[in-house]
């Protein structure tokens, strides 16, 4: 018990990487609101303003998202370069919104219903970004299934062919590829 108390005390003296990133993200978001034309306060910020912020961040992205007219649209591993734009990866935007939501709640920004970062429009926007990026790369986004407790039989033979088509080139591999390139 004493070790846990010491760990908690030491973590309060130096913020974790997550806390530092959350603080940087929050300061960037507040700076964006301040520089907005006209300047916005947090209380006047809406889900639409948050989506504008996410679109603004696209200019700093590193993920190639092929446009429909590109010959490599839908090709998982393009054989050559193209002029398609670089964007923020869906996973980066999703985790950014998570950190900003947590920061909003920590500063006591009001009721959870008043949190502009939790607006339904943002969830819809993120879903569209995820689907667009998956189509552009030709790799479907597979929602990870919950792991269930293994039975004794499954534990003895985990590769019995009932993996739902996962394997070489299957949906399980493509989910790994998407998560590897999004981070």
């Amino acid at each position: 018990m004493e070790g846990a108390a010491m760990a908690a005390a030491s973590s309060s003296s130096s913020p974790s990487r997550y806390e530092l990133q959350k603080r940087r993200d929050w300061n960037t978001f507040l700076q964006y609101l301040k520089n907005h034309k006209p300047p916005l306060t947090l209380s006047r910020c809406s889900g639409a303003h948050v989506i504008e912020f996410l679109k603004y961040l696209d200019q700093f992205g590193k993920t190639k998202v092929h446009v429909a007219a590109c010959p490599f649209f839908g090709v998982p591993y393009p054989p050559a370069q193209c002029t398609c734009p670089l964007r923020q990866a869906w996973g980066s935007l999703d985790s950014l919104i998570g950190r900003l939501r947590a920061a909003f709640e920590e500063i006591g920004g009001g009721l959870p219903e008043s949190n502009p970062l939790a607006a339904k429009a943002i969830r819809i926007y993120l879903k569209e970004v995820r689907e667009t990026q998956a189509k552009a790369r030709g790799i479907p986004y597979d929602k990870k299934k919950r792991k269930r407790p293994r039975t004794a039989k499954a534990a003895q033979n985990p590769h019995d062919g009932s993996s739902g088509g996962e394997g070489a080139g299957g949906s399980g591999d493509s989910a790994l590829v998407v998560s590897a390139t999004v981070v």
Side-chain angles (χ1 to χ4, degrees), residues 1 14 28 30 38 42 44-45 73 89 108 116 127 131 136 164 166 172-173:
M1 196 67 156
S14 63
T28 302
L30 292 179
L42 190 57
R44 306 222 3 116
C45 179
F73 181 83
K127 182 178 180 187
E131 290 171 355
E166 294 181 21
D173 291 337

Side-chain angles (χ1 to χ4, degrees), residues 2 6 37 49 72 104 127 155 174:
E2 188 177 304
M6 288 179 64
K37 301 291 186 218
H49 296 116
F72 302 130
F104 180 89
K127 182 178 180 187
S174 60

Side-chain angles (χ1 to χ4, degrees), residues 135-154:
K135 284 180 190 172
R137 294 191 60 238
I139 299 174
Y141 172 78
D142 293 327
K143 190 172 185 177
K144 292 182 181 176
K145 296 182 175 119
R146 284 185 165 183
K147 292 185 178 182
R148 296 189 177 154
R150 299 173 86 168
T151 62
K153 183 179 179 184

Side-chain angles (χ1 to χ4, degrees), residues 26-148:
W26 184 248
N27 289 336
T28 302
F29 180 62
L30 292 179
Q31 188 65 43
Y32 173 82
L33 294 178
K34 182 179 174 185
N35 294 337
H36 190 273
K37 301 291 186 218
L40 286 168
T41 61
L42 190 57
S43 62
R44 306 222 3 116
C45 179
S46 70
H49 296 116
V50 175
I51 292 172
E52 280 179 25
F53 173 66
L54 296 177
K55 289 179 179 180
Y56 158 77
L57 291 176
D58 270 343
Q59 66 184 310
F60 308 110
K62 295 180 179 115
T63 299
K64 176 85 64 171
V65 180
H66 299 289
V67 296
C70 178
F72 302 130
F73 181 83
V75 177
Y77 304 101
Q81 294 291 322
C82 66
T83 59
C84 292
L86 294 174
R87 301 268 166 86
Q88 288 290 336
W90 165 78
S92 299
L93 295 176
D94 188 48
S95 56
L96 169 67
I97 289 297
R99 289 189 300 271
L100 291 175
R101 285 178 72 171
F104 180 89
E105 292 169 8
E106 284 176 12
I107 63 154
L111 297 172
E113 304 85 55
S114 68
N115 185 343
L117 300 150
K120 184 176 182 180
I122 296 169
R123 288 192 306 274
I124 293 169
Y125 175 75
L126 289 174
K127 182 178 180 187
E128 289 171 358
V129 167
R130 181 185 72 202
E131 290 171 355
T132 300
Q133 291 184 3
K135 284 180 190 172
R137 294 191 60 238
I139 299 174
Y141 172 78
D142 293 327
K143 190 172 185 177
K144 292 182 181 176
K145 296 182 175 119
R146 284 185 165 183
K147 292 185 178 182
R148 296 189 177 154

